[in-house]
Amino acid sequence: MLRIIELTKIYVDINACKNISLDLIKNEFFFVLGPSGCGKTTLLKIIAGLVEQDSGTIILNESDISVIPSNERPFNIVFQDYSLFPHLNVFNNVAFGLKMKKVNKEEIRNRVIETLELLKISNLSKRKPSELSGGQQQRVALARAIINKPKVLLLDEPLSALDEKLRFEMQQVLLDLKSKLNSIFIFVTHNQEEALSLADRIAVMKDGQIVQVDTPKNLYTKPITKFIAEFIGEVNILDQKEEERIKLIRPENINLSQVPFKENYYEHTENGKIIQLLFKGNSISVIVSLDYSKTFKVLLSNIIQFDKLEIGDKVFLGWSENSIIYVKN
Amino acid sequence: MLRIKRKGNINGLYVLPSIIWLMILFVIPVIFILAFSFFERGTYGGVNYIFSLENFKLVFDGIYIKIFFKTVLIAIINTILCILLGYPLAYYISTRKSIKVKNLLLMLIILPFWTNFLIRTFSWMIILGNEGLINTSLINLGIINEPLELLFTPFAVQIGMLYNYLPFMVLPIYASLEKIDKNIVLASNDLGANNIKIFFNIIFPLSIKGLFVGVFLVFIPSLGEFIIPDLLGGAKSPMIGNIIKDQFLTSRNWPFGSALVIVVMALILITIIINNKTFKRNSF
Amino acid sequence: MKNRLLNIYSFGIFAFLYLPILILVIFSFNQDKFNSSWGGFSTEWYIKLLNNSELLESFQVSFTIALFSAFISTIIGTLAAYGFYKKSFFGTSKIKTLVNLPIITPDIILGLGLLIFFVSINFTLGYYSILLAHITFNISYTTLIVLTRFSNFNSNIENAAKDLGASNFKSFVFIILPNIFPGILVSFLIAFTLSWDDFIISFFTSGVGTTTLPVRVYSMIKMGVNPQINAISTITLVITIITILIASKFQNISKIINSKSL
């Protein structure tokens, strides 16, 4: 169990991290999600011990490791740019951590072979990083980290640089490791899709502070702030007159019809004209302009039903009261 | 809330050896020169550690001022010659199409840059001497009867300086030419400018930075030059460097020699300031 | 048309740059004593060199000083470059200026300053005063060269090493050093060349008993033109050129000069 208590780091006059507190447990994919510059990478580096915090504590299984330097912490990090050692081949890159711990040669050999096999890169053992593709480099970076059986595994934007297919493969690799490794997993990313698909819990970070920690489902259906609602998924703003009670609704929760709804079928209705229509394959994204210069985005999943929609069509929108999300600013 | 203080920042330690070394063997010696320029010359060539401005008064005496002027003049001529002859060469190299050719030509310019000044100056002695290559060939061809006095003339000094300093001007100009975005040239071509216009309005102005660096690398060391006037100019056209050398090794008047060095350093400083100011005004 | 002119001109300049050296080299093989008429191919001047004990001694002096000064200045320079690369200490830019000053200071000032300094502290002028002087000017160059190597360096790999359990020292030895090694090699070679070819500073700091090769050549020149000078000059040139060519295999030398000048 890893406890982070009121971690603060200030760079000149920017609050990179402000009173960050988190509790993390084993065998859980924990994501720190936030836009670029929110401080998430700094947080990662502080946990790894590569950056020194200005104040705050880090406790691992009841022992305070706040002042322990990075090379003595049982944590390992997979960098966004992999940072493989260019002058060493794959075998030696992966073996490095064990070599630093003065493990004997025989054991190093066995563990390296085992780890390479686990990540399916045994055939790359003798190659140098410059001879590897991006996806291969990442596996080597992962192998190099997990071979040390770290108590905490930190991953910085692990899927961002990968194409669709590789992303899927890597997701499988990571899920496989989840059960095998017995570590705490902390991911950092700006990509909300990535977080939503893999995370058990997500901490949303903005301007150096944690705004909300919750499961993906709860973050999506019950965001606390407007920022989170807009950052994860899309929303339409219904009413933001009251700062503490902004009304939002998600595009997929608005129902669209080319004829008026039955009376009182939906608690809320509007009508307007279609000004944009985007066919997305398995859904249609429609932008509707309401009579008084407001626009709504509606997501329709029944493409057959809405096959004949055109720009300029007059349409009717309706939604129920309980699909409204209330957030604060 | 816990205030943490880990091991102190030891990064400064790595530069320490170099700083200490340069302090002791560079900064302090230069300070010594400054100090000595204010001392009196002792009897039999020693030094009297008494404060005196005599040395500087002597510097501004007629003979020495003349030599300073001559030195500056030679340095200016040298710089101008280097620019006139060096710029086209830099332009030529930067307009070669193949990178391999560029690198080869660059290497050819750089090689002399690294070899021994003395040797390269000596090679001109063989060429210009009374029994040297030029004279012997001209006599053998019957063009002249008596050897031309080429060596030990201001002309020889100027040639020697040009020969030694040309690479120092070519390289920075080349570097600044390389930095010009080729697309600008293409764009102006596209907008109708012919080659000459492009050169004078775009390429030359953008390469001025290289010229300033070249002036820096040529003019300033030229001021302190003494090998070339010594070997190629003989006693006839000394530069201030020769006088300084004599003060230290022959006349044994170290205080006066130091004062001369200080004045040269002042000249250099002035050049740097003028160079920087003019450059700032011209940069965009 | 303009291109042809430029071609001819450039060829002319290259000829201007190389002919004098070529003449010098060619006439080192001249049977005739004078550097004007060709008397046939001969290596007699080189053989005479081998019997010239003073010259051989100077050769040894220059060579050993070049080796030692290159070695020591490379170590000091590498450490300094590493320190600058880390960048996080007080007064970085002022110290950087200090390290760069010797490069733009004319040799005559460096040489005379050291002469005055050594004599004032009663340090005997000789082998060691020359060695100390050479290390001094070499430090600026070695620092600059290794620093250029660091600019291509992915600093995150040092973080990776620490994360994997390496102490500062181990990460320097196992990760940093191997990756900047070409830079260290180049700076050694260039420091060697600078020391090997130095005349002015050696001239002022050598005193009476010890003579480096360039200083010896200078006194030979002062005594009159002599093909032995051609011969020793040729050998000196060859050593310099070979060293530079080896160095250029490891790092693009022109890039160093470009970064230094701009």
Side-chain angles (χ1 to χ4, degrees):
Chain A
M1 158 103 162
L2 184 70
R3 298 195 63 202
I4 296 171
I5 305 175
E6 300 197 353
L7 223 47
T8 303
K9 175 78 186 172
I10 304 178
Y11 281 122
V12 200
D13 36 48
I14 309 171
N15 283 333
C17 293
K18 204 166 160 197
N19 286 332
I20 309 261
S21 294
L22 295 168
D23 287 332
L24 305 151
I25 55 175
K26 269 199 274 200
N27 298 323
E28 166 192 62
F29 275 1
F30 189 89
F31 269 72
V32 177
L33 172 67
S36 303
C38 69
K40 55 192 193 297
T41 307
T42 308
L43 177 61
L44 198 73
K45 286 191 171 161
I46 293 179
I47 299 175
L50 296 171
V51 169
E52 196 180 333
Q53 67 275 28
D54 291 323
S55 64
T57 336
I58 305 177
I59 300 182
L60 177 69
N61 292 335
E62 313 300 317
S63 27
D64 188 335
I65 57 156
S66 315
V67 288
I68 296 185
S70 64
N71 55 322
E72 289 170 36
R73 289 190 197 190
F75 299 173
N76 284 117
I77 181 171
V78 179
F79 293 91
Q80 187 176 4
D81 62 359
Y82 319 134
S83 293
L84 297 181
F85 304 129
H87 61 295
L88 298 175
N89 63 20
V90 167
F91 186 95
N92 287 320
N93 257 285
V94 176
F96 190 78
L98 299 180
K99 186 170 168 202
M100 288 299 109
K101 292 199 182 69
K102 303 212 168 95
V103 174
N104 75 60
K105 263 194 170 172
E106 193 59 40
E107 196 188 329
I108 292 185
R109 220 181 93 82
N110 292 333
R111 281 171 71 172
V112 171
I113 294 179
E114 192 189 326
T115 314
L116 291 181
E117 258 178 50
L118 181 64
L119 290 172
K120 303 198 178 42
I121 45 173
S122 306
N123 56 327
L124 302 176
S125 170
K126 293 256 177 342
R127 291 215 207 152
K128 286 255 177 85
S130 54
E131 300 162 6
L132 302 173
S133 71
Q136 291 170 328
Q137 282 187 31
Q138 186 173 53
R139 287 183 191 235
V140 177
L142 200 50
R144 187 175 70 172
I146 65 177
I147 195 173
N148 306 294
K149 302 204 170 62
K151 298 247 172 29
V152 178
L153 184 63
L154 304 146
L155 300 104
D156 192 354
E157 308 269 9
L159 303 178
S160 306
L162 303 175
D163 63 41
E164 189 91 33
K165 179 164 174 270
L166 282 176
R167 203 178 298 182
F168 182 74
E169 276 176 21
M170 185 48 73
Q171 281 182 349
Q172 301 309 308
V173 170
L174 290 169
L175 287 167
D176 189 39
L177 283 177
K178 191 176 176 187
S179 47
K180 291 204 178 123
L181 207 52
N182 211 27
S183 312
I184 296 173
F185 289 77
I186 306 179
F187 292 74
V188 149
T189 184
H190 66 278
N191 185 329
Q192 44 111 345
E193 265 179 50
E194 195 177 305
L196 287 178
S197 54
L198 269 183
D200 293 307
R201 281 193 303 153
I202 303 177
V204 181
M205 196 164 166
K206 184 186 179 212
D207 294 330
Q209 289 179 287
I210 302 282
V211 187
Q212 185 178 355
V213 183
D214 216 329
T215 62
K217 179 174 169 204
N218 285 345
L219 277 177
Y220 190 80
T221 55
K222 299 189 207 127
I224 300 181
T225 67
K226 179 159 161 258
F227 165 74
I228 298 182
E230 288 176 325
F231 190 69
I232 303 186
E234 296 176 287
V235 284
N236 295 298
I237 302 175
L238 293 174
D239 186 336
Q240 46 182 357
K241 275 190 264 160
E242 290 171 59
E243 285 242 335
E244 292 298 305
R245 230 173 111 83
I246 300 176
K247 291 188 192 172
L248 307 168
I249 185 161
R250 300 235 182 246
E252 67 269 18
N253 290 331
I254 302 180
N255 298 288
L256 185 143
S257 167
Q258 287 159 298
V259 299
F261 294 109
K262 272 195 236 167
E263 182 106 14
N264 294 330
Y265 192 71
Y266 288 113
E267 286 110 330
H268 304 273
T269 55
E270 289 287 352
N271 53 12
K273 224 162 36 167
I274 297 182
I275 57 173
Q276 200 191 91
L277 205 54
L278 282 175
F279 179 71
K280 285 176 148 177
N282 55 4
S283 59
I284 303 178
S285 166
V286 184
I287 304 220
V288 177
S289 166
L290 304 185
D291 293 330
Y292 43 100
S293 73
K294 205 166 166 185
T295 59
F296 272 10
K297 188 167 183 185
V298 184
L299 197 66
L300 307 168
S301 27
N302 191 338
I303 14 184
I304 302 178
Q305 179 185 356
F306 295 105
D307 189 39
K308 294 284 185 328
L309 277 182
E310 272 179 18
I311 297 186
D313 283 358
K314 185 157 186 243
V315 290
F316 297 87
L317 306 176
W319 58 90
S320 58
E321 175 67 34
N322 61 8
S323 48
I324 299 182
I325 305 175
Y326 290 92
V327 297
K328 45 184 190 181
N329 205 347
Chain B
M1 288 258 277
L2 224 68
R3 251 295 119 159
I4 301 120
K5 238 339 170 186
R6 263 190 285 210
K7 51 175 160 54
N9 205 330
I10 58 155
N11 288 326
L13 273 180
Y14 293 108
V15 279
L16 210 57
S18 56
I19 298 177
I20 296 178
W21 191 288
L22 290 176
M23 275 300 186
I24 301 178
L25 286 170
F26 172 64
V27 177
I28 292 184
V30 172
I31 295 178
F32 266 67
I33 300 181
L34 185 62
F36 265 61
S37 66
F38 289 109
F39 291 146
E40 258 181 25
R41 181 202 189 159
T43 39
Y44 309 120
V47 177
N48 282 342
Y49 296 97
I50 306 170
F51 184 85
S52 156
L53 289 173
E54 278 308 308
N55 301 313
F56 287 102
K57 285 197 193 140
L58 191 53
V59 169
F60 291 101
D61 186 303
I63 332 170
Y64 297 107
I65 287 288
K66 258 200 208 154
I67 299 182
F68 266 110
F69 272 128
K70 260 200 180 159
T71 306
V72 173
L73 189 61
I74 295 178
I76 292 179
I77 295 178
N78 186 34
T79 311
I80 295 178
L81 283 178
C82 283
I83 294 180
L84 289 176
L85 290 173
Y87 197 102
L89 187 60
Y91 185 77
Y92 173 76
I93 301 182
S94 82
T95 50
R96 290 313 92 201
K97 300 217 174 67
S98 143
I99 294 193
K100 274 195 173 170
V101 172
K102 267 190 192 173
N103 283 336
L104 175 65
L105 293 176
L106 220 52
M107 186 50 79
L108 286 179
I109 299 272
I110 289 173
L111 274 181
F113 179 95
W114 288 114
T115 57
N116 198 318
F117 249 52
L118 204 58
I119 295 176
R120 279 156 50 218
T121 310
F122 173 68
S123 61
W124 279 97
M125 289 178 81
I126 338 178
I127 297 178
L128 298 173
N130 281 348
E131 279 142 15
L133 207 63
I134 294 186
N135 276 323
T136 336
S137 320
L138 289 181
I139 288 182
N140 284 343
L141 288 173
I143 302 181
I144 51 174
N145 286 325
E146 299 261 312
L148 296 169
E149 202 177 330
L150 296 169
L151 196 51
F152 305 126
T153 61
F155 165 74
V157 173
Q158 214 66 69
I159 287 251
M161 305 260 307
L162 173 63
Y163 184 68
N164 273 320
Y165 284 99
L166 190 58
F168 290 76
M169 179 62 80
V170 172
L171 288 170
I173 297 182
Y174 169 79
S176 67
L177 283 172
E178 280 296 284
K179 281 196 165 174
I180 299 178
D181 188 355
K182 300 286 188 273
N183 288 327
I184 300 181
V185 181
L186 287 172
S188 29
N189 226 329
D190 183 60
L191 289 167
N194 67 26
N195 281 335
I196 298 185
K197 278 212 182 123
I198 294 181
F199 179 77
F200 280 106
N201 287 322
I202 297 176
I203 298 181
F204 184 72
L206 286 176
S207 64
I208 293 241
K209 182 173 188 191
L211 270 175
F212 277 97
V213 177
V215 166
F216 207 77
L217 294 177
V218 171
F219 181 75
I220 292 178
S222 298
L223 292 175
E225 185 59 58
F226 76 91
I227 304 180
I228 297 173
D230 186 33
L231 293 182
L232 297 177
K236 288 196 207 150
S237 25
M239 289 172 70
I240 199 66
N242 302 87
I243 307 294
I244 294 177
K245 167 186 162 244
D246 284 336
Q247 295 304 320
F248 274 91
L249 299 180
T250 323
S251 323
R252 313 227 86 226
N253 188 349
W254 289 22
F256 180 56
S258 304
L260 288 171
V261 173
I262 295 293
V263 175
V264 172
M265 282 169 69
L267 273 176
I268 293 177
L269 206 62
I270 296 174
T271 313
I272 296 179
I273 296 176
I274 298 180
N275 207 16
N276 281 343
K277 284 230 170 96
T278 332
F279 176 61
K280 284 207 172 93
R281 219 181 290 146
N282 280 334
S283 55
F284 19 76
Chain C
M1 173 54 193
K2 186 171 160 236
N3 276 337
R4 266 212 83 192
L5 260 172
L6 198 57
N7 273 344
I8 298 175
Y9 172 79
S10 304
F11 182 75
I13 295 278
F14 275 110
F16 171 69
L17 283 178
Y18 277 90
L19 274 179
I21 305 181
L22 281 174
I23 294 173
L24 180 97
V25 172
I26 294 175
F27 277 98
S28 71
F29 294 104
N30 186 7
Q31 190 140 9
D32 249 12
K33 195 168 196 256
F34 302 105
N35 275 307
S36 43
S37 49
W38 183 252
F41 185 88
S42 158
T43 54
E44 72 174 279
W45 308 112
Y46 287 92
I47 299 174
K48 282 226 171 84
L49 281 183
L50 290 174
N51 292 327
N52 188 337
S53 57
E54 285 179 333
L55 207 64
L56 289 177
E57 196 189 313
S58 303
F59 188 96
Q60 189 190 19
V61 167
S62 275
F63 198 80
T64 54
I65 289 184
L67 270 178
F68 292 142
S69 71
F71 185 70
I72 297 176
S73 62
T74 299
I75 295 178
I76 298 181
T78 302
L79 288 173
Y82 182 60
F84 282 123
Y85 154 75
K86 296 284 237 168
K87 233 191 306 220
S88 52
F89 57 88
F90 171 74
T92 320
S93 60
K94 291 204 181 74
I95 298 180
K96 243 190 188 165
T97 317
L98 172 64
V99 176
N100 282 330
L101 272 180
I103 297 183
I104 61 170
T105 313
D107 282 354
I108 189 173
I109 298 178
L110 289 174
L112 287 174
L114 283 167
L115 171 63
I116 297 180
F117 177 70
F118 284 139
V119 169
S120 301
I121 63 171
N122 281 325
F123 187 92
T124 333
L125 293 175
Y127 188 90
Y128 290 102
S129 59
I130 306 177
L131 181 60
L132 290 174
H134 284 212
I135 296 175
T136 309
F137 66 70
N138 269 334
I139 289 179
S140 306
Y141 290 96
T142 55
T143 309
L144 176 72
I145 293 173
V146 179
L147 199 53
T148 333
R149 185 71 187 179
F150 269 117
S151 63
N152 295 332
F153 197 72
N154 176 7
S155 57
N156 239 358
I157 66 174
E158 213 187 339
N159 279 336
K162 287 217 203 110
D163 173 67
L164 290 165
S167 61
N168 270 331
F169 176 72
K170 278 195 179 166
S171 100
F172 182 77
V173 170
F174 288 110
I175 302 296
I176 308 247
L177 273 187
N179 277 299
I180 56 169
F181 183 71
I184 297 179
L185 191 61
V186 169
S187 90
F188 176 84
L189 291 170
I190 291 198
F192 179 89
T193 312
L194 289 171
S195 165
W196 170 255
D197 280 326
D198 173 73
F199 167 70
I200 298 181
I201 297 179
S202 311
F203 183 63
F204 287 116
T205 55
S206 49
V208 193
T210 326
T211 346
T212 63
L213 197 55
V215 174
R216 176 76 65 196
V217 171
Y218 176 75
S219 30
M220 286 170 82
I221 295 177
K222 278 304 205 181
M223 286 198 286
V225 173
N226 170 355
Q228 275 191 55
I229 303 178
N230 295 46
I232 190 62
S233 300
T234 308
I235 296 180
T236 307
L237 277 173
V238 167
I239 293 185
T240 304
I241 292 177
I242 292 180
T243 313
I244 291 295
L245 285 177
I246 298 178
S248 66
K249 290 278 172 235
F250 288 98
Q251 194 157 322
N252 200 340
I253 306 280
S254 45
K255 280 208 190 117
I256 302 173
I257 298 171
N258 286 344
S259 65
K260 165 183 144 189
S261 55
L262 290 171

